[in-house]
């Protein structure tokens, strides 16, 4: 099983569960460790894709309620399989990751209303992004998606 920082907690807001900072977090801080997390061969609503046919289970104690944001404040650092803060995060902020940087094809696509000017609107996975949108994600991409990106060039 993976582990989660005590600075995060699952909270229910507007009828939806999400992962929130309950203390201030510094940029680069490790928030979730996916090492040891059970993996599945196909995606679920709560899983996070970490490789070809490899999906981190996404338990309540790790990324199960880590929601999507087109302007995320955390990312999955694949060099160590840990979720890190992209910037300083205030207590009370929801932490969000960009699903398009990990999921090739989402288990459930949805209409995003994150409010970011960079909002991708329909979130369906990396496969459905334009090449420009894919290139913008390059620093945060799962290695298995990086292979696809470079392969197309
Ligand atoms: Zn969005």
């Amino acid at each position: 099983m993976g582990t989660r920082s005590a600075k995060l907690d699952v909270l229910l807001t507007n009828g939806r569960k999400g992962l929130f900072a309950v203390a201030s977090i510094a940029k680069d801080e490790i928030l979730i460790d996916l090492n040891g997390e059970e993996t599945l061969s196909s995606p679920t609503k709560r899983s996070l894709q970490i490789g070809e046919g490899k999906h981190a289970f996404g338990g309540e104690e790790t990324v199960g309620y880590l929601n999507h944001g087109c302007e995320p404040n955390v990312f999955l650092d694949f060099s160590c399989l840990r979720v890190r803060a992209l910037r300083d995060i205030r207590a009370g902020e929801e932490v969000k990751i960009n699903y398009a940087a990990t999921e090739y094809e989402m288990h459930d696509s949805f209409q995003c209303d994150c409010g970011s000017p960079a909002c991708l609107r329909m979130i369906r996975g990396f496969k459905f992004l334009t090449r420009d949108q894919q290139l913008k994600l390059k620093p945060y991409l799962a290695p298995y998606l990086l292979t696809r990106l470079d392969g197309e060039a």
Side-chain angles (χ1 to χ4, degrees):
M1 258 178 52
T3 54
R4 182 176 79 208
S5 160
K7 290 186 177 183
L8 298 179
D9 203 5
V10 174
L11 299 177
L12 182 67
T13 55
N14 303 319
R16 187 185 72 113
K17 280 184 176 179
L19 206 49
F20 286 77
V22 292
S24 54
I25 292 165
K27 183 178 189 287
D28 289 329
E29 205 169 314
I30 288 168
L31 299 173
I32 297 165
D33 188 346
L34 284 178
N35 290 286
E37 183 87 344
E38 185 190 339
T39 57
L40 309 167
S41 57
S42 52
T44 70
K45 198 173 164 53
R46 304 203 195 293
S47 65
L48 205 63
Q49 190 164 8
I50 55 174
E52 208 73 65
K54 203 174 171 193
H55 305 262
F57 173 69
E60 177 149 3
E61 288 306 309
T62 58
V63 294
Y65 293 103
L66 178 55
N67 290 316
H68 166 86
C70 297
E71 215 169 301
N73 50 14
V74 301
F75 73 106
L76 180 52
D77 181 346
F78 279 90
S79 71
C80 58
L81 212 57
R82 293 178 171 116
V83 174
R84 270 182 205 279
L86 270 172
R87 57 165 172 81
D88 292 348
I89 299 170
R90 297 182 313 273
E93 266 190 85
E94 183 172 4
V95 294
K96 293 181 175 184
I97 195 166
N98 191 338
Y99 287 168
T102 58
E103 310 307 296
Y104 182 63
E105 194 167 0
M106 301 275 300
H107 179 258
D108 293 306
S109 58
F110 64 93
Q111 184 78 37
C112 185
D113 59 356
C114 71
S116 161
C119 186
L120 299 167
R121 309 306 302 167
M122 202 62 197
I123 310 302
R124 294 188 292 171
F126 180 82
K127 178 182 173 181
F128 302 97
L129 299 178
T130 65
R131 174 124 181 117
D132 271 2
Q133 290 171 331
Q134 291 179 340
L135 283 168
K136 281 193 188 120
L137 291 174
K138 199 165 180 177
Y140 311 109
L141 275 185
Y144 88 97
L145 289 176
L146 206 51
T147 306
R148 287 175 192 264
L149 188 64
D150 292 339
E152 282 172 24

